[in-house]
Amino acid sequence: MKVEQIYTGCIAHAAYYIENKGEAAIFDPLREVGPYIDRATVDGAQIKYIFETHFHADFVSGHLDLAQKTGASIVYGPTAKPDFEAIIATDGQEFKIGDYTIKAIHTPGHTLESTCYLLIDENGKPHGIITGDTLFIGDVGRPDLAQKLVGDLTEEVLAGYLYDSLRTKIMPLSDDLIVYPNHGAGSACGKNMSKETTDTLGNQKKVNYALRADMTKEEFIKELLDGLTPPPAYFPQNVLLNIKGYASLDSVLSKGNVKLSPAEFKALAQQTQAIVLDVRHENDFVKEHIPSSIFIGLQGQFAPWVGALIRDVQQPLLLITPEGKEEETLIRLSRVGFDHTLGILDGGIEAWKKAGFETDAIETVSPATFAQDYTNKPIIDARRPGEYQAEHIEGAQNIPLDFINELYQEVPKETSFYIHCAGGYRSVILSSILKARGYHNMINVAEGMAGIRKTNIKLTTFICPSQL
């Protein structure tokens, strides 16, 4: 072996990079380390370092689990102060990985300790750069997360640091460098990330608004901060878990994967403050579910929505899962720090019904049925503001799922109303939250805008999101 495998970056890219021999595997393990350890050691590779780009906010990193299982050293950039043993790299420090070199480049801005890692091949030529949350494809990291934990920081100060880091540390590098960011489209760590997962630095200099050559620091700060929505409430809690440590994944699975009979499940729900979380498909949930349960389906952006909507990582949970998905659910919950599952309903909703317990349902109509009546009732659009502004049903009210905990009182409680999203997932989440709060007059539109666009319903003129 010429090179030990290298692990840092984002779990979303892990399978891709491991499959493609010759590329460095770049990801943070994010609590699910077992499968990747097995895959990485097939060729006798040694996991030597766990490179952390910063203290993550959106997920609990798997650095401690992976270090414990492999003996690998955890590496952070300058100024990091974790509550566990780690290598704190100096700016420019190099790490030898077989014939290859990893160079730490301190790039404060997203957070103070944010660090990128330059990948240098056996000939001394830079090949790529792991940019963490400093530089995304089409975007840069938001600077308003670390300030929640450091009182004398402001988002303006961090944005200024990010401007300097990009222009003095990143932009002078070779245009043919491959950029490997931590996140892609849909992440709350940026504003407008591309769905692409890699690009050359040269092309990013041409197309990324934040890398304009003639951009002043004042212009950068203004454009970066413009339109930032509040970060999910669980972000600061995840940062602290990543700094201070967390329960091992093995212990989380052992404590949470407990099968409960319907009677035991119901008793715990009544005796505790646990939220009953149903992770089945939305089509199953709307047909029948336990009254007052919350739906967030595994098939969507499950973990981020749990964190954004339930918020408190200490919140006890009781789970209803598809058969065979119990462990996956616990693992994905643990990725955002939700490690307090009390148990799982044994036999699912069928066992619940056989025990004689009642169920509830959400009225749901097809887009075609909705098209025949949509002018007669209020319409709630559960998509994000940018999606709504790009195109929406004329007269629809935008109440984004992201902010339902703050905006639910704007939903009509006495009048029947329709609710839709982009594809039918978020509208069911929102409907379940409203039902748990005593709203029972919503009518869910299946398929969301994807189905609505196939009808004759009048929509506003489409505006490309990039122009908003």
Side-chain angles (χ1 to χ4, degrees):
M1 295 291 294
K2 288 202 302 181
V3 59
E4 294 94 336
Q5 295 288 342
I6 304 162
Y7 293 83
T8 188
C10 180
I11 192 71
H13 304 312
Y16 172 81
Y17 289 119
I18 289 175
E19 289 290 347
N20 286 265
K21 306 291 184 174
E23 294 282 5
I26 59 173
F27 73 104
D28 278 323
L30 297 181
R31 312 296 297 277
E32 191 176 3
V33 298
Y36 300 107
I37 291 174
D38 294 342
R39 293 285 298 283
T41 55
V42 167
D43 296 327
Q46 172 194 351
I47 298 176
K48 185 174 182 180
Y49 295 114
I50 302 162
F51 290 99
E52 291 279 1
T53 55
H54 63 292
F55 293 119
H56 306 289
D58 55 337
F59 284 102
V60 175
S61 178
H63 51 305
L64 296 176
D65 286 293
L66 189 54
Q68 189 276 325
K69 288 180 179 290
T70 67
S73 298
I74 301 170
V75 180
Y76 283 96
T79 76
K81 296 178 181 179
D83 286 3
F84 45 83
E85 184 177 348
I87 297 172
I88 306 303
T90 58
D91 189 18
Q93 182 172 347
E94 295 184 349
F95 298 82
K96 297 300 292 184
I97 315 290
D99 293 339
Y100 299 87
T101 302
I102 307 297
K103 183 178 181 179
I105 302 176
H106 189 210
T107 52
H110 175 66
T111 66
L112 284 177
E113 78 285 351
S114 285
T115 297
C116 298
Y117 295 98
L118 188 65
L119 309 177
I120 303 170
D121 69 18
E122 69 273 26
N123 298 313
K125 176 178 170 54
H127 163 77
I129 185 166
I130 299 165
T131 53
D133 285 23
T134 295
L135 174 63
F136 299 126
I137 307 304
D139 202 358
V140 292
R142 57 190 295 170
D144 61 333
L145 303 183
Q147 60 153 339
K148 306 297 181 183
L149 298 172
V150 183
D152 58 349
L153 280 179
T154 66
E155 58 189 31
E156 288 80 10
V157 168
L158 282 166
Y161 290 163
L162 184 56
Y163 176 88
D164 292 335
S165 292
L166 290 167
R167 276 150 181 80
T168 64
K169 299 291 189 69
I170 303 298
M171 292 176 68
L173 297 172
S174 174
D175 282 354
D176 63 359
L177 270 185
I178 299 174
V179 176
Y180 298 107
N182 265 24
H183 303 290
S187 169
C189 292
K191 289 193 303 184
N192 191 33
M193 284 176 254
S194 168
K195 64 181 180 180
E196 301 300 326
T197 55
T198 63
D199 194 8
T200 63
L201 180 58
N203 192 55
Q204 281 302 294
K205 292 177 187 177
K206 296 176 183 177
V207 301
N208 191 319
Y209 79 94
L211 302 186
R212 293 202 312 270
D214 61 348
M215 195 179 213
T216 67
K217 181 180 287 191
E218 290 72 23
E219 289 173 334
F220 176 88
I221 293 172
K222 183 178 184 300
E223 290 191 38
L224 181 58
L225 300 183
D226 183 47
L228 279 181
T229 56
Y234 78 99
F235 271 26
Q237 300 170 70
N238 274 200
V239 172
L240 288 174
L241 287 169
N242 284 322
I243 293 173
K244 297 180 178 297
Y246 50 81
S248 72
L249 182 58
D250 290 340
S251 67
V252 170
L253 294 177
S254 175
K255 292 177 181 178
N257 201 356
V258 176
K259 296 295 184 65
L260 300 172
S261 70
E264 292 170 328
F265 190 93
K266 186 176 183 179
L268 266 180
Q270 293 173 339
Q271 295 165 8
T272 69
Q273 297 298 312
I275 288 176
V276 177
L277 179 63
D278 192 324
V279 307
R280 298 174 298 149
H281 194 278
E282 64 260 25
N283 293 345
D284 297 319
F285 184 86
V286 298
K287 292 175 184 175
E288 51 187 358
H289 57 264
I290 294 175
S292 297
S293 60
I294 301 299
F295 163 78
I296 305 179
L298 280 177
Q299 80 282 4
Q301 290 187 319
F302 173 68
W305 280 124
V306 169
L309 298 172
I310 298 180
R311 298 183 169 184
D312 182 3
V313 298
Q314 302 299 321
Q315 172 64 50
L317 300 173
L318 287 164
L319 302 179
I320 300 133
T321 74
E323 185 176 357
K325 295 291 186 178
E326 297 86 357
E327 185 170 300
E328 177 186 340
T329 304
L330 292 168
I331 289 172
R332 292 175 66 181
L333 285 169
S334 76
R335 290 179 183 168
V336 285
F338 284 79
D339 295 340
H340 298 279
T341 295
L342 303 181
I344 301 169
L345 179 60
D346 192 13
I349 203 73
E350 292 302 321
W352 180 265
K353 291 190 298 181
K354 287 179 182 177
F357 300 140
E358 67 176 323
T359 61
D360 201 350
I362 295 174
E363 183 179 355
T364 300
V365 297
S366 68
T369 300
F370 172 61
Q372 296 173 7
D373 186 57
Y374 77 100
T375 59
N376 296 322
K377 296 180 179 67
I379 302 168
I380 301 298
D381 187 329
R383 297 175 301 156
R384 290 189 168 102
E387 296 172 278
Y388 174 84
Q389 292 165 15
E391 182 182 44
H392 60 268
I393 299 170
E394 290 190 352
Q397 180 183 2
N398 185 212
I399 300 183
L401 172 61
D402 310 61
F403 309 120
I404 190 57
N405 288 309
E406 292 78 23
L407 301 177
Y408 73 93
Q409 291 181 326
E410 294 186 17
V411 177
K413 195 166 188 178
E414 307 303 327
T415 304
S416 177
F417 64 92
Y418 288 108
I419 182 169
H420 78 84
C421 60
Y425 177 77
R426 284 176 284 176
S427 63
V428 178
I429 298 177
L430 196 150
S431 296
S432 73
I433 292 172
L434 291 175
K435 264 190 166 289
R437 293 185 172 180
Y439 291 73
H440 300 285
N441 51 321
M442 74 285 295
I443 303 171
N444 177 57
V445 181
E447 302 177 38
M449 283 294 286
I452 290 170
R453 289 191 182 97
K454 298 175 184 178
T455 70
N456 60 359
I457 291 174
K458 187 174 183 179
L459 304 177
T460 59
T461 302
F462 178 79
I463 303 173
C464 179
S466 65
Q467 302 301 315
L468 292 173

